[in-house]
Amino acid sequence: MKFLHLSDLHIGKRVNEFSMLEDQKYIFEQILDIVDVQKIEGVLIAGDIYDKSVPPVEAVRLFDDFLTRLAQYEMPIFIIGGNHDSAERISFGARLMKEKNVHIASVFDGNTEPVVLQDAYGEIAVYLLPFVKPALVRHVYPEAEIDSYDAAVKVAVTNMNVDERRRNIIVAHQFVTGAVRCESEEISVGGVDQVEATAFEVFDYVALGHIHGPQQIGRKTVRYCGTPLKYSFSEATHEKSVTIVTLAEKGTINLQFVPLKPLHDMRELRGTYMQITALDYYKGTNTNDYLHITLTDEEDVPDAIGKLRAIYPNIMRLDYDNMRTRSGQTIVAEKVQNEKTPMELLEEFYALRNNQNMSDEQREYSLELLERIAGRGNA
């Protein structure tokens, strides 16, 4: 049986104040094409459907359209809530959707009966474990000793009473020890949210969500599929994809990774202003990508962001890397001494700001400008 593993859609997300809705709509169209071409027989969505617990109306509409079109394939769809989701909102209409083979688990309540599917090799049991914290599992199992996320997940899994003779899948949304994080994820202090991979050892395939970079943890069948889009510049080098999981007989699992092409890629550019604005530099590239540009000019370029946007309209971030920024030098206002001329003060300010002295041409221009200002003041 062939499953599509998705997670961390984060519908409605804004990155550096840019709305990602159009990008998400574009990538969902690709995912639907993959479902069709690859003849997918089941979909696993491992949490963080929305970016906010109260998503904007446009985000809800987009997911409604995506889920409705997936359901038209009349295959089982499995959805869990993540740490970004509101359990109550995700679970709305869950009983009605179950009749359409859409199975939603948003709040952990101890009721972890699997959905059992059948194919030529026998039964496949799919378990749904939404994002859990220790307090939530302690509430369900007050007699259990639960003092960590790891203990909470292990108690939850133990009480599933998994039959290891058949093929078992779990869809979960936790931070498994060893996973590599990205800047766009919520980071817990001290790694207290870590869960050992051994918590899931009874499952043939572990469809994980929560971590944005695609990766396996230990064995290849404990996997984060990653986000379908890049949501931070720490992901600029990631190759985003969807994971296709094919289960044959017990013990035989094939993984396939189908790349996704975004509407706007997320890239980082570095160089002087003249280099980055040269035709030969950007010719043949997608100048509409989301960009983090680092200028290496020693002097700040006046209105750099405005000028650069004439070529690169979707600049998300602009930084400088030069002698001043590397030394962490800041400009400190000192008490003005009466014996210093305006030109001397201006030269000091320029040197502090740019880590170098004015050129003769700049000094000449500045003197002329100061004289004009002084002349107006005396008029």
Side-chain angles (χ1 to χ4, degrees), residues 341-357:
T341 66
M343 188 61 207
E344 287 172 331
L345 292 171
L346 182 59
E347 285 182 297
E348 286 184 5
F349 177 83
Y350 182 91
L352 281 169
R353 187 71 178 82
N354 294 290
N355 230 30
Q356 62 183 6
N357 295 324

Side-chain angles (χ1 to χ4, degrees), residues 208-377:
L208 292 169
H210 191 39
I211 299 300
H212 291 185
Q215 57 196 281
Q216 69 182 57
I217 308 299
R219 59 186 168 103
K220 70 174 185 178
T221 53
V222 179
R223 183 160 187 85
Y224 289 102
C225 62
T227 54
L229 289 168
K230 300 175 184 179
Y231 289 136
S232 74
F233 286 105
S234 66
E235 302 168 55
T237 60
H238 288 187
E239 294 293 334
K240 297 298 183 179
S241 63
V242 294
T243 300
I244 297 176
V245 187
T246 303
L247 277 70
E249 66 273 8
K250 178 79 172 179
T252 302
I253 298 177
N254 180 60
L255 301 182
Q256 180 185 356
F257 311 112
V258 181
L260 296 170
K261 183 176 177 56
L263 180 62
H264 305 95
D265 199 0
M266 192 170 281
R267 298 189 289 124
E268 295 184 295
L269 304 181
R270 178 186 177 85
T272 66
Y273 175 79
M274 294 302 293
Q275 287 172 334
I276 286 175
T277 56
L279 178 62
D280 288 345
Y281 185 89
Y282 64 81
K283 183 174 60 177
T285 67
N286 188 349
T287 54
N288 287 314
D289 285 342
Y290 295 128
L291 298 176
H292 171 203
I293 295 180
T294 301
L295 293 179
T296 57
D297 302 83
E298 287 298 329
E299 300 177 26
D300 287 1
V301 178
D303 189 29
I305 191 77
K307 292 174 180 175
L308 286 167
R309 279 200 170 128
I311 300 172
Y312 307 106
N314 293 319
I315 298 176
M316 286 186 166
R317 182 176 167 184
L318 176 65
D319 289 321
Y320 280 88
D321 181 14
N322 52 32
M323 291 175 65
R324 171 178 55 80
T325 58
R326 285 194 294 274
S327 65
Q329 186 171 328
T330 57
I331 300 169
V332 180
E334 296 180 354
K335 185 177 180 180
V336 177
Q337 299 176 5
N338 290 332
E339 64 269 18
K340 290 186 178 180
T341 66
M343 188 61 207
E344 287 172 331
L345 292 171
L346 182 59
E347 285 182 297
E348 286 184 5
F349 177 83
Y350 182 91
L352 281 169
R353 187 71 178 82
N354 294 290
N355 230 30
Q356 62 183 6
N357 295 324
M358 281 186 177
S359 66
D360 291 341
E361 184 180 355
Q362 289 170 326
R363 189 177 294 105
E364 184 180 340
Y365 175 79
S366 299
L367 275 169
E368 183 183 339
L369 189 61
L370 286 171
E371 286 171 3
R372 274 193 232 157
I373 294 169
R376 287 174 189 164

